[in-house]
Amino acid sequence: MVTITDIANACGVSRATVSKALNGAPDVSRETADRIRETAASLGYLPNATARALKLGRSYNIGVLFSDETGGGISHEYFSRILESVKAESERLGYDITFISKDLGRMSMDYYEHAKYRSCDGVVIASADFQDPAIVRLAASEIPTVTLDYSFDNCSSILSDNVRGMEALVRFVHGKGHRRIAFIHGEITSVTQKRLASFRRTCAELGVPVPAEYIRPAVYHDPRSSGLATRALLALPDRPTCILFPDDLSFLGGMSELEKHGLAIPKDMSVAGYDGIPLSQVLRPRLTTYRQGAERMGAEAARLLIEQIEQPDTWIPQQITVEGELLEGNTVADIG
Amino acid sequence: MVTITDIANACGVSRATVSKALNGAPDVSRETADRIRETAASLGYLPNATARALKLGRSYNIGVLFSDETGGGISHEYFSRILESVKAESERLGYDITFISKDLGRMSMDYYEHAKYRSCDGVVIASADFQDPAIVRLAASEIPTVTLDYSFDNCSSILSDNVRGMEALVRFVHGKGHRRIAFIHGEITSVTQKRLASFRRTCAELGVPVPAEYIRPAVYHDPRSSGLATRALLALPDRPTCILFPDDLSFLGGMSELEKHGLAIPKDMSVAGYDGIPLSQVLRPRLTTYRQGAERMGAEAARLLIEQIEQPDTWIPQQITVEGELLEGNTVADIG
DNA sequence: TTGTATGCGTTATCAT
DNA sequence: ATGATAACGCATACAA
């Protein structure tokens, strides 16, 4: 491994001078600086991030915490899109990313300890459960954090626009003439609560009644449970004309249930999903859904976090809401 | 931040003793060791991975390199499953993972330099293009590497069983009585070549003729191109009775094309995918496909890499082939 | 403009 | 059994 010492020897200057030259300090002559940079390049010198981190107390490394009951958080397309964009934006700004988890090898530590252990300059947090004491501890710690889809006091957050997303779907469906709209929701999280509230409020605003039996619980990303909920809805004496699903994947459970009943989409039943995953747009008919702005969310999260890291004094916690877009598709019949 | 110095002061011993006690060295009395560990715990001491890495020349950090033309490698479900399992297994063995990329901030570096810069103990490589000089350089370097779905000389690799996977599909389809089998393949990579070769060889073994026009090129994960290829196949005077798609997602493009022609699956046309993503199993009819053992691949990759890192002397490059499983589904008609 | 000295937190060597 | 010391690679305050 070639170090600044090697360059210093090769150039006949001190290590301090090399360090300065390489970091573009003003107090080193143009000529020596150039000479140093040239030899550094020819020697194939690479700064050692570890040593630099130890010295500076800054690792240029940010933690990413994706926690999900199931553990398979990353494989959810919504999360992986966010991860991908957090990664891209962080790298653009000169930061690497490391996953933060509980328990590393034989040492058992919580998220905060893990982040500390790796000297993360900050952490982006996405979690299915923001009540988890380990998450709360990290968010409340001195480590800069940005949360996704949840707001802690005094810490920045990026929010997907669940309120407006649900509102857009309901208004679209209503515009097509539907007045009996059912909503199958995922397990109760703050995201679900926002969607539920927005669903109810928008319906109220539009004068659409919402019978209690039109609201059915299911589990996110679990087609089976949404299939069961669909079956329950179809069994109602006063069937809805349109069903909103917790997400696009869950819709598939409803889809096969509808097929079993010999109901065609959208002729006999209108449907809409949520997320706008690629699958939804290759299905025929194309699924009506709301595509979340995951890419922008990830990028904004990284940007905000790094801003806070680099300008801690002028920093103020910020809530950024990222809008998605309604994908109209062809699964909502015009029954106006 | 509480360091070993703090513990040393609190216990009235030297830093050296603290370090030894914490690392379970034999040459420190039971009593002092216990006392030190207790104070360490009560003070909330956490080792500093950075300092340790600098001193030891071992970071307990492994790089993950996922490169894909499109850049969005992680969001492909196959990759994210691998990533998830690499992460889980690495963490189980006490290693964190960091993404390796080209170009970090303003410094431009290649993969090898990036891995060096972060002092990665090793790197897991997944790439769409193993010809990339930057990939070749990393694989040929002194940094331990494990490649996925490709074999470099003198470096371990984990191979999904493309040969057996394709063979299993062809034999299954053949068993159902099909003798006119078409294959739409993805862009030419080593993986594609293996599948193509296996397709041809298995057909030859079974005495199934493979007319040149039954082999059509398309693009992985791109339903549109597979849709076009499907159209071309349907236009043939001597239509195939079964079409094998490059992957499950691509099948969707073929699906809508078949629908346009009023062809029902599997009555009028049999089909099979590849990958076994969750989607394939919620579709109706359930897609016949081959599910790759991504979870095992990731875990084996991490295991092999860490083994090489920790026992460099007894290490021998190893090729591990991970079998997947045929998911029979209902999209291949029995025309025997 | 350049160099000297020191320390970041840790571990390993060698005395004691 | 314990401690003093040096070293990992780098950056900075300060001296020259």
Side-chain angles (χ1 to χ4, degrees):
Chain A
M1 157 171 254
V2 35
T3 74
I4 49 171
T5 308
D6 299 321
I7 303 177
N9 292 339
C11 291
V13 297
S14 76
R15 295 178 316 181
T17 308
V18 174
S19 176
K20 287 177 190 168
L22 259 27
N23 291 311
D27 60 343
V28 51
S29 76
R30 272 288 301 250
E31 307 138 22
T32 27
D34 286 345
R35 190 157 45 93
I36 287 173
R37 273 191 284 267
E38 279 169 27
T39 29
S42 74
L43 258 47
Y45 168 78
L46 273 176
N48 181 317
T50 305
R52 185 182 269 171
L54 183 58
K55 177 66 188 171
L56 294 181
R58 282 281 307 282
S59 62
Y60 287 91
N61 192 78
I62 72 181
V64 172
L65 167 36
F66 277 19
S67 109
D68 185 355
E69 280 95 71
T70 76
I74 301 170
S75 5
H76 283 335
E77 124 107 26
Y78 173 59
F79 280 160
S80 57
R81 272 167 67 206
I82 290 181
L83 173 59
E84 182 72 39
S85 56
V86 166
K87 170 175 180 288
E89 181 71 1
S90 301
E91 281 167 0
R92 205 179 63 76
L93 297 172
Y95 287 72
D96 277 310
I97 76 183
T98 292
F99 285 113
I100 296 304
S101 56
K102 286 177 172 168
D103 300 333
L104 193 61
R106 38 187 115 320
M107 2 185 196
S108 84
M109 36 187 168
D110 66 12
Y111 298 127
Y112 169 73
E113 292 166 342
H114 192 165
K116 263 305 235 211
Y117 169 70
R118 277 296 171 192
S119 310
C120 294
D121 293 337
V123 181
V124 173
I125 308 179
S127 172
D129 177 17
F130 280 96
Q131 313 299 325
D132 182 345
I135 302 260
V136 174
R137 181 185 184 198
L138 174 59
S141 77
E142 79 286 1
I143 300 177
T145 54
V146 170
T147 50
L148 289 166
D149 270 335
Y150 188 87
S151 274
F152 279 114
D153 185 54
N154 210 41
C155 117
S156 291
S157 57
I158 312 292
L159 305 170
S160 70
D161 197 352
N162 290 290
V163 171
R164 219 169 322 178
M166 183 50 74
E167 179 181 344
L169 280 172
V170 173
R171 285 190 182 277
F172 176 75
V173 166
H174 178 267
K176 292 286 193 177
H178 293 265
R179 298 296 179 270
R180 298 209 303 277
I181 310 170
F183 177 31
I184 301 176
H185 62 80
E187 56 273 35
I188 299 296
T189 62
S190 66
V191 166
T192 309
Q193 281 165 342
K194 280 178 197 149
R195 291 191 195 164
L196 259 173
S198 177
F199 174 76
R200 288 209 165 90
R201 198 181 64 188
T202 310
C203 284
E205 283 173 10
L206 295 170
V208 171
V210 180
E213 61 271 25
Y214 274 18
I215 309 264
R216 310 287 314 188
V219 175
Y220 285 116
H221 306 291
D222 175 38
R224 210 184 49 80
S225 67
S226 278
L228 293 178
T230 304
R231 184 180 307 174
L233 288 171
L234 295 180
L236 291 179
D238 195 24
R239 271 188 192 172
T241 61
C242 179
I243 302 177
L244 307 183
F245 287 86
D247 55 85
D248 296 345
L249 199 63
S250 293
F251 156 68
L252 295 173
M255 185 176 83
S256 56
E257 192 63 30
L258 290 172
E259 274 172 18
K260 273 185 214 156
H261 285 73
L263 300 175
I265 299 174
K267 193 170 72 64
D268 306 316
M269 180 62 78
S270 293
V271 297
Y274 208 100
D275 281 353
I277 64 178
L279 155 68
S280 70
Q281 299 312 294
V282 291
L283 288 177
R284 291 298 174 271
R286 275 203 352 270
L287 183 60
T288 297
T289 185
Y290 190 83
R291 178 177 163 85
Q292 307 199 60
E295 286 77 12
R296 255 202 69 211
M297 290 179 65
E300 292 286 357
R303 196 181 58 73
L304 232 55
L305 183 61
I306 291 168
E307 200 173 289
Q308 174 180 358
I309 291 168
E310 300 190 340
Q311 288 126 25
D313 8 278
T314 70
W315 173 77
I316 294 171
Q318 233 178 110
Q319 270 56 298
I320 292 187
T321 298
V322 173
E323 274 186 65
E325 55 173 334
L326 181 73
L327 301 181
E328 295 203 358
N330 306 304
T331 54
V332 176
D334 193 332
I335 61 174
Chain B
M1 157 170 257
V2 34
T3 74
I4 49 170
T5 308
D6 300 320
I7 303 177
N9 292 338
C11 291
V13 297
S14 75
R15 294 177 313 177
T17 308
V18 174
S19 176
K20 286 176 190 168
L22 260 28
N23 291 311
D27 61 342
V28 51
S29 75
R30 270 289 301 249
E31 306 139 23
T32 24
D34 287 346
R35 189 158 45 95
I36 287 174
R37 274 192 283 266
E38 279 169 29
T39 25
S42 74
L43 259 47
Y45 168 79
L46 273 176
N48 182 319
T50 305
R52 185 180 271 172
L54 182 59
K55 178 63 186 173
L56 294 180
R58 281 281 308 283
S59 62
Y60 288 91
N61 192 77
I62 72 181
V64 172
L65 166 38
F66 276 20
S67 110
D68 184 355
E69 280 93 70
T70 77
I74 302 170
S75 2
H76 283 334
E77 121 107 27
Y78 174 58
F79 280 161
S80 56
R81 272 166 67 205
I82 290 180
L83 173 59
E84 182 72 39
S85 55
V86 167
K87 171 176 180 288
E89 181 71 359
S90 301
E91 282 168 359
R92 205 178 64 75
L93 298 172
Y95 288 71
D96 277 310
I97 75 182
T98 292
F99 285 113
I100 295 304
S101 56
K102 286 178 173 168
D103 299 334
L104 193 61
R106 34 188 118 319
M107 3 183 196
S108 84
M109 36 186 169
D110 66 11
Y111 298 127
Y112 169 73
E113 292 166 341
H114 192 164
K116 263 309 235 206
Y117 169 70
R118 278 294 171 192
S119 310
C120 292
D121 293 336
V123 181
V124 173
I125 307 181
S127 172
D129 176 17
F130 281 95
Q131 313 299 324
D132 182 346
I135 301 261
V136 175
R137 181 184 185 201
L138 175 59
S141 76
E142 80 285 2
I143 300 178
T145 54
V146 170
T147 50
L148 289 166
D149 270 333
Y150 188 86
S151 274
F152 280 113
D153 184 54
N154 209 40
C155 116
S156 292
S157 56
I158 311 293
L159 305 169
S160 69
D161 196 351
N162 289 290
V163 171
R164 219 168 323 177
M166 181 52 75
E167 180 181 344
L169 280 172
V170 172
R171 287 192 182 274
F172 176 75
V173 165
H174 177 267
K176 292 285 192 176
H178 293 265
R179 298 295 179 270
R180 299 210 302 278
I181 308 170
F183 178 29
I184 302 176
H185 62 80
E187 56 273 33
I188 298 297
T189 62
S190 66
V191 166
T192 309
Q193 281 166 341
K194 280 178 198 149
R195 291 192 194 164
L196 259 172
S198 177
F199 175 76
R200 287 210 166 89
R201 197 181 64 188
T202 309
C203 284
E205 284 173 9
L206 296 170
V208 171
V210 179
E213 60 271 25
Y214 274 17
I215 308 264
R216 311 286 314 188
V219 176
Y220 285 117
H221 304 291
D222 175 37
R224 211 184 48 79
S225 69
S226 277
L228 294 176
T230 303
R231 185 180 305 174
L233 288 171
L234 295 181
L236 292 178
D238 194 25
R239 269 188 194 173
T241 60
C242 179
I243 303 177
L244 305 184
F245 287 86
D247 55 85
D248 297 344
L249 199 64
S250 295
F251 155 68
L252 295 173
M255 185 176 82
S256 56
E257 192 64 29
L258 290 172
E259 274 172 18
K260 273 185 215 157
H261 285 73
L263 299 175
I265 300 173
K267 194 170 70 67
D268 307 317
M269 179 62 77
S270 293
V271 297
Y274 209 101
D275 280 354
I277 64 178
L279 156 68
S280 70
Q281 298 313 293
V282 291
L283 288 178
R284 290 299 174 270
R286 274 200 357 266
L287 183 60
T288 297
T289 186
Y290 190 83
R291 177 176 163 87
Q292 308 199 61
E295 286 77 13
R296 253 202 72 211
M297 291 180 64
E300 292 286 356
R303 194 181 59 74
L304 232 55
L305 183 62
I306 291 168
E307 199 172 290
Q308 176 179 358
I309 291 168
E310 301 190 340
Q311 287 126 25
D313 8 279
T314 71
W315 173 78
I316 294 169
Q318 231 179 112
Q319 269 63 21
I320 292 188
T321 298
V322 173
E323 276 187 64
E325 53 173 334
L326 181 73
L327 301 180
E328 295 203 359
N330 305 303
T331 54
V332 176
D334 192 333
I335 61 176

